Amino acid sequence: MQRVLQLDIQGTPQAWITLEDAATHYATGAVAWEDGAGPLATLRGGWNVQSGRQSQIVVHPIVALRGMSRRNLFDVPPTVTKAKLLVRDRCTCAYCAQIFLERDLQVEHIVPDSRGGPYDWMNLVAACSVCNARKANRTPDEAKMALVYLPYVPNRYEAFLLEGRNVRADVHEWLVARVAKGSRLN
């Protein structure tokens, strides 16, 4: 299924939307600007009796809508999921630095859950089962296991890349150009 990246007028990603939703925005005049290497699709409608022409809407892969968000979405951290976390950490164990398949990694609490460690971006890393079992219910210092990289909260642009959708190359490049320089996604 083809998806369109919906932005606010300032270029902040809002959501992945369907072609039909994008066409509705075009038809209602809600699209302020568009981007992408070329059209994603051309949707055709009915025929105008007077002009004899068929209506059509050309949908681009990135559309910005008029109006402003009611809240600053950069203040809203993206939702943590195992899949997004593993992509953020490049499927690399935070303790032994080996790269694994996603199915062979676990979500590891730096400060254990049983000790009040939150389930958030700054307290979670990818870990292999061997390292996770070795660390057990201890902090990295107590287990004498140093982290080989530090966790971080992905910005709004990274969050859309972390979702793992099949993203068109031009949309991927647009998002990557706005990712923080220190991001592991670069």
Side-chain angles (χ1 to χ4, degrees), residues 5-55:
L5 180 61
Q6 176 188 309
L7 313 172
D8 67 10
I9 198 160
Q10 295 175 324
T12 305
Q14 304 287 304
W16 292 106
I17 61 173
T18 64
L19 277 172
E20 292 77 13
D21 288 338
T24 300
H25 292 308
Y26 275 101
T28 59
V31 176
W33 54 272
E34 56 202 17
D35 206 346
L40 182 62
T42 300
L43 305 176
R44 301 186 193 297
W47 292 87
N48 184 305
V49 175
Q50 286 184 336
S51 69
R53 291 188 298 220
Q54 186 178 26
S55 65

Coordinates of all heavy atoms in Angstrom, one line a residue, residues 5-55:
L5 N 3.5 11.0 3.1 CA 4.0 11.6 4.3 C 3.3 12.9 4.4 O 3.4 13.8 3.6 CB 5.5 11.8 4.3 CG 6.1 12.4 5.5 CD1 5.9 11.6 6.8 CD2 7.6 12.6 5.3
Q6 N 2.5 13.1 5.5 CA 1.7 14.3 5.7 C 2.5 15.1 6.7 O 3.0 14.7 7.8 CB 0.4 14.0 6.3 CG -0.4 15.2 6.7 CD -1.7 14.9 7.5 OE1 -2.4 14.0 7.0 NE2 -1.9 15.5 8.6
L7 N 2.7 16.4 6.3 CA 3.5 17.4 7.2 C 2.5 18.5 7.5 O 1.5 18.7 6.9 CB 4.6 18.0 6.4 CG 5.5 17.0 5.6 CD1 6.5 17.8 4.7 CD2 6.3 16.1 6.5
D8 N 2.9 19.3 8.6 CA 2.2 20.6 8.8 C 2.9 21.6 7.9 O 3.9 21.3 7.1 CB 2.3 21.0 10.3 CG 3.6 21.3 10.8 OD1 4.6 21.5 10.0 OD2 3.8 21.5 12.0
I9 N 2.4 22.8 7.9 CA 2.9 23.8 6.9 C 4.4 24.1 7.1 O 5.0 24.6 6.2 CB 2.0 25.1 7.0 CG1 2.2 25.9 5.7 CG2 2.2 25.9 8.2 CD1 1.1 26.9 5.4
Q10 N 4.9 23.9 8.3 CA 6.3 24.2 8.6 C 7.2 23.0 8.3 O 8.4 23.1 8.4 CB 6.4 24.5 10.1 CG 5.7 25.8 10.5 CD 5.8 26.0 12.0 OE1 5.8 25.1 12.8 NE2 6.0 27.3 12.3
G11 N 6.6 21.9 7.8 CA 7.4 20.7 7.4 C 7.6 19.7 8.5 O 8.5 18.9 8.4
T12 N 6.9 19.8 9.6 CA 7.0 18.8 10.7 C 6.1 17.6 10.3 O 4.9 17.7 10.0 CB 6.5 19.4 12.0 OG1 7.2 20.6 12.3 CG2 6.6 18.4 13.1
P13 N 6.7 16.4 10.3 CA 5.9 15.2 10.0 C 4.8 15.0 11.0 O 4.9 15.1 12.2 CB 6.9 14.0 10.1 CG 8.3 14.7 10.0 CD 8.1 16.0 10.5
Q14 N 3.6 14.7 10.4 CA 2.4 14.4 11.2 C 2.0 13.0 11.2 O 1.7 12.5 12.3 CB 1.2 15.3 10.6 CG 1.5 16.7 10.5 CD 1.5 17.4 11.8 OE1 0.5 17.3 12.5 NE2 2.6 18.1 12.2
A15 N 1.9 12.4 10.0 CA 1.4 11.0 9.9 C 1.7 10.4 8.5 O 2.0 11.2 7.6 CB -0.1 11.0 10.2
W16 N 1.6 9.1 8.4 CA 1.6 8.4 7.1 C 0.1 8.3 6.8 O -0.7 7.9 7.6 CB 2.2 7.1 7.2 CG 3.7 7.0 7.4 CD1 4.3 6.7 8.6 CD2 4.7 7.3 6.5 NE1 5.7 6.8 8.4 CE2 5.9 7.2 7.1 CE3 4.7 7.7 5.1 CZ2 7.1 7.4 6.5 CZ3 5.9 8.0 4.5 CH2 7.1 7.8 5.2
I17 N -0.3 8.8 5.6 CA -1.7 8.7 5.2 C -1.9 8.0 3.9 O -0.9 7.8 3.2 CB -2.3 10.2 5.1 CG1 -1.6 11.0 4.1 CG2 -2.3 10.9 6.5 CD1 -2.3 12.3 3.8
T18 N -3.1 7.6 3.6 CA -3.4 6.8 2.4 C -3.5 7.8 1.2 O -3.6 9.0 1.4 CB -4.7 6.1 2.5 OG1 -5.8 7.0 2.7 CG2 -4.7 5.1 3.7
L19 N -3.4 7.2 0.0 CA -3.6 8.0 -1.2 C -4.9 8.7 -1.2 O -5.1 9.9 -1.6 CB -3.5 7.1 -2.4 CG -2.1 6.8 -3.0 CD1 -2.2 5.7 -4.1 CD2 -1.4 8.0 -3.5
E20 N -5.9 8.0 -0.7 CA -7.3 8.5 -0.7 C -7.4 9.7 0.3 O -8.0 10.7 -0.1 CB -8.3 7.5 -0.3 CG -8.5 6.4 -1.4 CD -7.3 5.3 -1.4 OE1 -6.5 5.3 -0.4 OE2 -7.2 4.6 -2.4
D21 N -6.7 9.6 1.4 CA -6.7 10.8 2.4 C -6.0 12.0 1.7 O -6.5 13.1 1.9 CB -6.1 10.4 3.7 CG -6.9 9.4 4.5 OD1 -8.2 9.4 4.3 OD2 -6.4 8.7 5.4
A22 N -4.9 11.7 1.1 CA -4.2 12.8 0.4 C -5.0 13.4 -0.7 O -5.0 14.7 -0.8 CB -2.9 12.2 -0.2
A23 N -5.7 12.6 -1.4 CA -6.6 13.1 -2.5 C -7.7 14.0 -1.9 O -8.0 15.1 -2.5 CB -7.2 12.0 -3.3
T24 N -8.2 13.7 -0.8 CA -9.2 14.5 -0.1 C -8.6 15.8 0.3 O -9.2 16.9 0.1 CB -9.7 13.8 1.2 OG1 -10.3 12.5 0.8 CG2 -10.8 14.6 1.9
H25 N -7.4 15.8 0.8 CA -6.7 17.1 1.1 C -6.5 18.0 -0.1 O -6.7 19.2 -0.1 CB -5.4 16.8 1.8 CG -5.5 16.2 3.2 ND1 -6.3 16.8 4.2 CD2 -4.9 15.1 3.8 CE1 -6.3 16.0 5.3 NE2 -5.4 15.0 5.0
Y26 N -6.1 17.3 -1.2 CA -5.9 18.1 -2.5 C -7.3 18.7 -2.9 O -7.4 19.8 -3.3 CB -5.4 17.2 -3.6 CG -3.9 17.0 -3.6 CD1 -3.3 15.9 -3.1 CD2 -3.1 18.0 -4.2 CE1 -1.9 15.8 -3.1 CE2 -1.7 17.9 -4.3 CZ -1.1 16.7 -3.7 OH 0.2 16.6 -3.8
A27 N -8.3 17.8 -2.9 CA -9.6 18.3 -3.4 C -10.2 19.4 -2.5 O -11.0 20.2 -3.1 CB -10.6 17.1 -3.4
T28 N -9.9 19.4 -1.3 CA -10.5 20.5 -0.4 C -9.6 21.7 -0.3 O -9.9 22.6 0.4 CB -10.7 19.9 1.0 OG1 -9.5 19.5 1.6 CG2 -11.8 18.8 1.0
G29 N -8.5 21.7 -1.0 CA -7.6 22.8 -1.0 C -6.7 22.9 0.2 O -6.2 24.0 0.5
A30 N -6.6 21.8 1.0 CA -5.8 21.9 2.2 C -4.3 21.7 2.0 O -3.6 22.0 3.0 CB -6.3 20.8 3.1
V31 N -3.9 21.3 0.8 CA -2.5 21.2 0.6 C -1.8 22.5 0.3 O -2.2 23.2 -0.6 CB -2.2 20.2 -0.6 CG1 -0.7 20.1 -0.9 CG2 -2.8 18.8 -0.3
A32 N -0.8 22.9 1.2 CA -0.1 24.1 1.0 C 1.1 24.0 0.1 O 1.3 24.9 -0.8 CB 0.4 24.6 2.4
W33 N 1.8 22.9 0.2 CA 2.9 22.6 -0.7 C 3.2 21.1 -0.7 O 2.7 20.4 0.1 CB 4.2 23.4 -0.3 CG 4.6 23.3 1.1 CD1 4.3 24.0 2.1 CD2 5.6 22.4 1.6 NE1 4.9 23.6 3.3 CE2 5.8 22.6 3.0 CE3 6.4 21.4 1.0 CZ2 6.6 21.9 3.8 CZ3 7.2 20.6 1.8 CH2 7.4 20.9 3.2
E34 N 3.9 20.7 -1.7 CA 4.2 19.3 -1.9 C 5.7 19.1 -2.2 O 6.4 20.1 -2.6 CB 3.4 18.7 -3.0 CG 3.5 19.4 -4.3 CD 2.3 19.2 -5.2 OE1 1.2 18.8 -4.8 OE2 2.5 19.5 -6.4
D35 N 6.2 17.9 -2.0 CA 7.6 17.6 -2.3 C 7.7 16.2 -2.8 O 6.8 15.4 -2.7 CB 8.5 17.9 -1.1 CG 9.9 18.2 -1.4 OD1 10.3 18.1 -2.6 OD2 10.6 18.7 -0.5
G36 N 8.9 15.8 -3.2 CA 9.2 14.5 -3.7 C 9.7 14.6 -5.1 O 9.6 15.6 -5.8
A37 N 10.3 13.5 -5.6 CA 11.0 13.5 -6.9 C 9.9 13.5 -8.0 O 10.3 13.9 -9.1 CB 11.9 12.3 -7.0
G38 N 8.7 13.2 -7.7 CA 7.7 13.2 -8.8 C 6.4 12.7 -8.2 O 6.4 12.3 -7.0
P39 N 5.4 12.6 -9.0 CA 4.1 12.2 -8.5 C 4.1 10.7 -8.0 O 4.8 9.9 -8.5 CB 3.1 12.3 -9.7 CG 3.8 13.2 -10.6 CD 5.3 13.1 -10.4
L40 N 3.4 10.5 -6.9 CA 3.2 9.1 -6.4 C 2.1 8.4 -7.2 O 2.3 7.2 -7.5 CB 2.8 9.2 -4.9 CG 2.7 7.9 -4.2 CD1 4.0 7.1 -4.1 CD2 2.2 8.2 -2.7
A41 N 1.1 9.1 -7.5 CA 0.0 8.6 -8.3 C -0.9 9.7 -8.9 O -0.9 10.8 -8.4 CB -0.9 7.7 -7.4
T42 N -1.6 9.3 -10.0 CA -2.6 10.2 -10.5 C -3.9 9.5 -10.4 O -4.1 8.4 -11.0 CB -2.2 10.5 -12.0 OG1 -1.0 11.1 -12.1 CG2 -3.3 11.4 -12.6
L43 N -4.8 10.1 -9.7 CA -6.1 9.5 -9.5 C -7.1 10.2 -10.4 O -7.1 11.4 -10.5 CB -6.6 9.7 -8.0 CG -5.6 9.2 -7.0 CD1 -6.1 9.5 -5.6 CD2 -5.4 7.7 -7.1
R44 N -7.9 9.4 -11.1 CA -8.8 10.0 -12.1 C -10.2 9.8 -11.6 O -10.6 8.8 -11.0 CB -8.6 9.2 -13.5 CG -7.2 9.4 -14.0 CD -7.0 8.8 -15.3 NE -5.6 8.7 -15.7 CZ -4.7 9.7 -15.9 NH1 -5.1 10.9 -15.7 NH2 -3.5 9.4 -16.3
G45 N -11.0 10.8 -12.0 CA -12.4 10.8 -11.5 C -13.4 10.8 -12.7 O -13.1 10.2 -13.8
G46 N -14.5 11.5 -12.6 CA -15.5 11.5 -13.6 C -15.2 12.5 -14.7 O -14.2 13.2 -14.7
W47 N -16.1 12.6 -15.7 CA -16.0 13.4 -16.8 C -16.9 14.7 -16.7 O -18.0 14.6 -16.3 CB -16.4 12.7 -18.1 CG -15.4 11.6 -18.5 CD1 -15.4 10.3 -18.0 CD2 -14.3 11.7 -19.3 NE1 -14.4 9.6 -18.5 CE2 -13.6 10.4 -19.3 CE3 -13.7 12.7 -20.0 CZ2 -12.5 10.2 -20.0 CZ3 -12.6 12.5 -20.8 CH2 -12.0 11.2 -20.8
N48 N -16.3 15.8 -17.0 CA -17.1 17.1 -17.0 C -17.8 17.2 -18.3 O -17.2 17.2 -19.4 CB -16.1 18.3 -16.8 CG -16.8 19.6 -16.7 OD1 -17.6 19.9 -17.5 ND2 -16.6 20.3 -15.6
V49 N -19.1 17.3 -18.2 CA -19.9 17.3 -19.4 C -19.6 18.6 -20.3 O -19.5 18.5 -21.5 CB -21.4 17.3 -19.0 CG1 -22.3 17.5 -20.3 CG2 -21.8 16.0 -18.3
Q50 N -19.5 19.7 -19.6 CA -19.2 20.9 -20.4 C -17.9 21.0 -21.1 O -17.7 21.3 -22.3 CB -19.4 22.2 -19.5 CG -20.8 22.5 -19.2 CD -20.9 23.8 -18.4 OE1 -20.0 24.2 -17.7 NE2 -22.1 24.4 -18.4
S51 N -16.8 20.6 -20.3 CA -15.5 20.7 -20.9 C -15.1 19.4 -21.6 O -14.2 19.4 -22.5 CB -14.4 21.0 -19.8 OG -14.3 19.9 -19.0
G52 N -15.7 18.3 -21.3 CA -15.4 17.0 -21.9 C -14.1 16.4 -21.4 O -13.5 15.5 -21.9
R53 N -13.6 17.0 -20.2 CA -12.3 16.5 -19.6 C -12.6 15.7 -18.4 O -13.6 15.9 -17.7 CB -11.4 17.7 -19.3 CG -10.9 18.4 -20.5 CD -9.9 19.4 -20.1 NE -10.5 20.4 -19.2 CZ -10.2 21.7 -19.3 NH1 -9.3 22.2 -20.1 NH2 -10.8 22.6 -18.5
Q54 N -11.7 14.7 -18.2 CA -11.8 13.9 -17.0 C -11.1 14.6 -15.9 O -10.0 15.1 -16.0 CB -11.2 12.5 -17.3 CG -11.3 11.5 -16.1 CD -10.7 10.2 -16.5 OE1 -9.8 10.1 -17.3 NE2 -11.3 9.1 -15.8
S55 N -11.7 14.6 -14.7 CA -11.0 15.2 -13.5 C -9.8 14.3 -13.1 O -9.9 13.0 -13.2 CB -12.0 15.4 -12.4 OG -12.5 14.2 -11.9

